[in-house]
Amino acid sequence: MDYSKIPSVTNLLKNEKGVKLVSKFGRDPFLDTSKIVLEQIRKDFANYHENISENLVLQLIKSSLEDSERKGLQKVINLTGTILHTNLGRAPLPKVVADKVKKLSTPYCNIEFDLTTGKRGKRTASIEEKFRQLTGAEDCVVVNNNAAAVLLTLSALTSGKEVILSRGQLVEIGGSFRIPEVMEQSGSILKEVGTTNKAYIDDYKHAVNENTGAIMRVHPSNFRVVGFNHETSLADLSQLAKNSGLPLIDDLGSGTLISLERWGLYEPTVIDSIQQGADVVTLSGDKLLGGPQCGIVLGKKELITKLKKHPLMRALRCDKLVLSALESTLDIYLKERYVEEIPFYYFLDREIDKLKDIASEITATLDSKYYEVVEDASFIGGGAMPLHQLKTVAIKINYHKPQLIAEFLRKQQVPIVGRIRNETLYLDLKTVYEEDIPYLSKVCGLLGEEIIDGE
Ligand SMILES: *Cc1c(COP(=O)(O)O)cnc(C)c1O
């Protein structure tokens, strides 16, 4: 075979298009990709019928470089209907929060410097103050995520001691967070009480002994026991904890700061938990709170102080960008502007009629034989209220190969992710941003001719 027909890397580098690719993607990525592409051409040499121009090779290198660029983190349009989608970044940050983070990210800042005294300051002083105002909690610590919050709490408060927990709350959340394993990692001893569906206050009472370190409640988050069931109320657990001189730990998971009743949803709030007597409450920053990924422990000062002094604290602490994002998210709650500013609440609050208008705008240039606008159900996600369906509007694509459409949408400049159900692709508009409507309209306009008819 006459491999001399294959262009050399030296010539590719001299080619005007090659020069452009080097300046766009960098010399090393260009050279690495060239090697792979040329190697592939040598293998498939016969198929090319010796028609191997520099242009063709550069085109292949370009596609391959573009493909690898797509593997990096980038904006995605979430049309799955799940508002807090773990694979798509859970809670999207409010714009005001992102602006604040951007301002703080390049200059120096007073993260551990007290501007009044000129001395070393506390990392989370202002966050502690804001949580005090919002929840009544005496003190708080902030770590990387709620898994870390639970690990730190148990490590600092109950290592070597028994923690009493209902069998109905031995949950696994998101694959790798399993309560019994976290308990073990913290050096605490799990003391299971009750049964999968029922745990009474007497079960807890009988379990208390001289080696008990705490009573714990874990929010079941992504699963529910329905039918014949009973869990002991937090208030009753609190009474028992007080009488026994034990701390009561409540892992809320989603941990909302406001009541969701106006949207017909029931989820215990952080204030409920504290008022009903939890001494320590743990929650995620990027679930119903709508802030950055972090874990928050709120509670009694003497207990939180033990967490702050524990050696794990240093390993689990957050950086200034996360802390500034959290602080700015709390400001939104203090100003009671969550519906306007926090995407989760904005999407939850948006009227169905508004979604129908958006559907018409997006499908304006799409032939009506390709789609139908339907009312549908979406989910909150993030392990919150798994059984609750939210009313939504979706664009249902009339085509028997949903995977093909899904792939086409994922390959767009800004990838779009829909939901496939019963062999049909739905573009759920629950979480669509108004600013993305023109782009979605453009892409949907291409669906008919390029994909559906092109088959
Ligand atoms: C989500 C959740 C966690 C884990 O929180 P991350 O922030 O994802 O680490 C722990 N406990 C409960 C009850 C949860 O719902």
Side-chain angles (χ1 to χ4, degrees):
M1 272 187 242
D2 185 5
Y3 286 154
S4 71
K5 293 257 170 27
I6 300 178
S8 71
V9 175
T10 319
N11 285 341
L12 293 174
L13 277 168
K14 281 186 200 149
N15 187 302
E16 197 186 325
K17 285 189 183 141
V19 173
K20 273 197 191 141
L21 289 178
V22 169
S23 91
K24 180 161 180 208
F25 294 98
R27 192 179 162 88
D28 285 342
F30 178 88
L31 291 176
D32 287 349
T33 310
S34 307
K35 258 188 227 154
I36 296 166
V37 167
L38 292 172
E39 183 61 40
Q40 195 60 41
I41 291 176
R42 263 179 222 114
K43 273 194 203 146
D44 294 345
F45 194 65
N47 293 333
Y48 283 93
H49 310 293
E50 308 200 359
N51 256 335
I52 307 166
S53 66
E54 281 182 19
N55 268 345
L56 172 74
V57 177
L58 286 164
Q59 192 53 46
L60 293 171
I61 294 173
K62 181 166 178 249
S63 325
S64 171
L65 283 166
E66 281 169 354
D67 277 353
S68 41
E69 193 162 66
R70 296 172 63 79
K71 291 186 184 130
L73 275 177
Q74 59 188 299
K75 171 178 169 174
V76 162
I77 297 180
N78 172 16
L79 301 186
T80 62
T82 301
I83 308 183
L84 300 170
H85 197 301
T86 302
N87 303 145
L88 302 179
R90 216 132 88 176
L93 276 188
K95 291 214 166 65
V96 287
V97 171
D99 290 345
K100 171 88 185 289
V101 172
K102 193 170 166 206
K103 269 197 205 134
L104 259 182
S105 53
T106 47
Y108 294 100
C109 69
N110 59 338
I111 178 106
E112 284 186 13
F113 184 72
D114 186 327
L115 290 168
T116 312
T117 62
K119 299 206 171 106
R120 181 175 178 158
K122 293 198 295 178
R123 275 176 96 79
T124 50
S126 106
I127 289 174
E128 287 163 20
E129 182 54 35
K130 290 179 203 294
F131 268 123
R132 208 169 299 144
Q133 289 168 4
L134 287 165
T135 68
E138 290 175 11
D139 201 356
C140 87
V141 292
V142 184
V143 288
N144 280 318
N145 46 42
N146 190 31
V150 175
L151 178 64
L152 176 64
T153 301
L154 295 173
S155 303
L157 302 183
T158 60
S159 185
K161 299 217 162 118
E162 289 180 3
V163 178
I164 307 175
L165 181 64
S166 155
R167 288 200 167 85
Q169 298 171 8
L170 293 174
V171 297
E172 169 178 306
I173 289 150
S176 51
F177 181 86
R178 311 176 100 191
I179 289 289
E181 288 171 10
V182 177
M183 193 82 75
E184 194 180 330
Q185 187 64 41
S186 74
S188 310
I189 302 151
L190 174 62
K191 179 80 181 173
E192 303 173 27
V193 296
T195 61
T196 304
N197 57 332
K198 297 218 174 198
Y200 300 98
I201 189 69
D202 280 346
D203 296 326
Y204 287 87
K205 269 187 196 151
H206 292 143
V208 176
N209 63 44
E210 66 284 354
N211 196 31
T212 304
I215 298 174
M216 187 177 191
R217 181 180 80 160
V218 176
H219 188 290
S221 294
N222 50 6
F223 98 112
R224 290 291 179 272
V225 175
V226 290
F228 191 60
N229 64 350
H230 177 84
E231 285 288 5
T232 303
S233 74
L234 203 59
D236 286 348
L237 292 181
S238 165
Q239 202 55 53
L240 174 62
K242 278 203 181 74
N243 293 344
S244 321
L246 294 168
L248 175 60
I249 301 169
D250 191 17
D251 177 17
L252 270 182
S254 298
T256 167
L257 291 184
I258 58 166
S259 162
L260 304 181
E261 272 169 50
R262 73 164 107 159
W263 295 286
L265 302 171
Y266 182 72
E267 179 73 14
T269 67
V270 175
I271 295 177
D272 289 342
S273 177
I274 292 172
Q275 285 183 349
Q276 286 162 22
D279 299 299
V280 178
V281 179
T282 58
L283 59 142
S284 289
D286 58 344
K287 287 182 179 170
L288 295 177
L289 195 71
Q293 180 196 301
C294 62
I296 299 148
V297 192
L298 300 167
K300 296 268 161 64
K301 190 151 197 90
E302 51 154 323
L303 298 172
I304 299 291
T305 302
K306 287 187 186 166
L307 269 60
K308 288 183 174 171
K309 288 186 178 154
H310 192 275
L312 265 180
M313 184 62 221
R314 176 62 191 242
L316 301 177
R317 73 178 190 179
C318 295
D319 80 320
K320 61 185 176 182
L321 300 183
V322 169
L323 293 177
S324 81
L326 177 60
E327 183 185 293
S328 168
T329 305
L330 296 180
D331 283 336
I332 295 174
Y333 285 97
L334 287 168
K335 292 177 195 158
E336 299 193 39
R337 288 186 52 79
Y338 34 85
V339 171
E340 295 87 344
E341 310 275 13
I342 296 181
F344 174 80
Y345 291 101
Y346 178 76
F347 296 143
L348 192 62
D349 196 63
R350 197 160 50 177
E351 300 283 341
I352 289 292
D353 282 346
K354 177 75 186 156
L355 296 185
K356 286 183 182 157
D357 292 345
I358 294 175
S360 315
E361 258 189 88
I362 292 177
T363 50
T365 55
L366 185 63
D367 189 326
S368 62
K369 71 178 181 216
Y370 299 124
Y371 73 92
E372 219 176 306
V373 173
V374 295
E375 288 199 16
D376 204 353
S378 44
F379 293 92
I380 289 173
M385 293 163 275
L387 303 183
H388 196 94
Q389 303 195 334
L390 302 168
K391 271 194 183 167
T392 188
V393 171
I395 300 169
K396 174 180 172 227
I397 306 292
N398 291 331
Y399 186 54
H400 65 290
K401 289 184 183 164
Q403 300 291 356
L404 211 63
I405 307 269
E407 188 189 342
F408 172 80
L409 294 173
R410 282 199 311 272
K411 279 193 170 159
Q412 296 304 307
Q413 196 177 9
V414 180
I416 300 162
V417 185
R419 155 173 86 223
I420 294 176
R421 197 182 62 220
N422 301 335
E423 291 303 297
T424 307
L425 182 78
Y426 292 83
L427 303 177
D428 189 320
L429 303 178
K430 191 74 187 169
T431 57
V432 73
Y433 286 82
E434 273 85 347
E435 69 206 37
D436 289 329
I437 295 172
Y439 172 78
L440 286 168
S441 174
K442 191 184 96 192
V443 174
C444 280
L446 301 173
L447 271 184
E449 284 161 34
E450 289 202 10
I451 302 298
I452 304 182
D453 293 345
E455 256 274 286

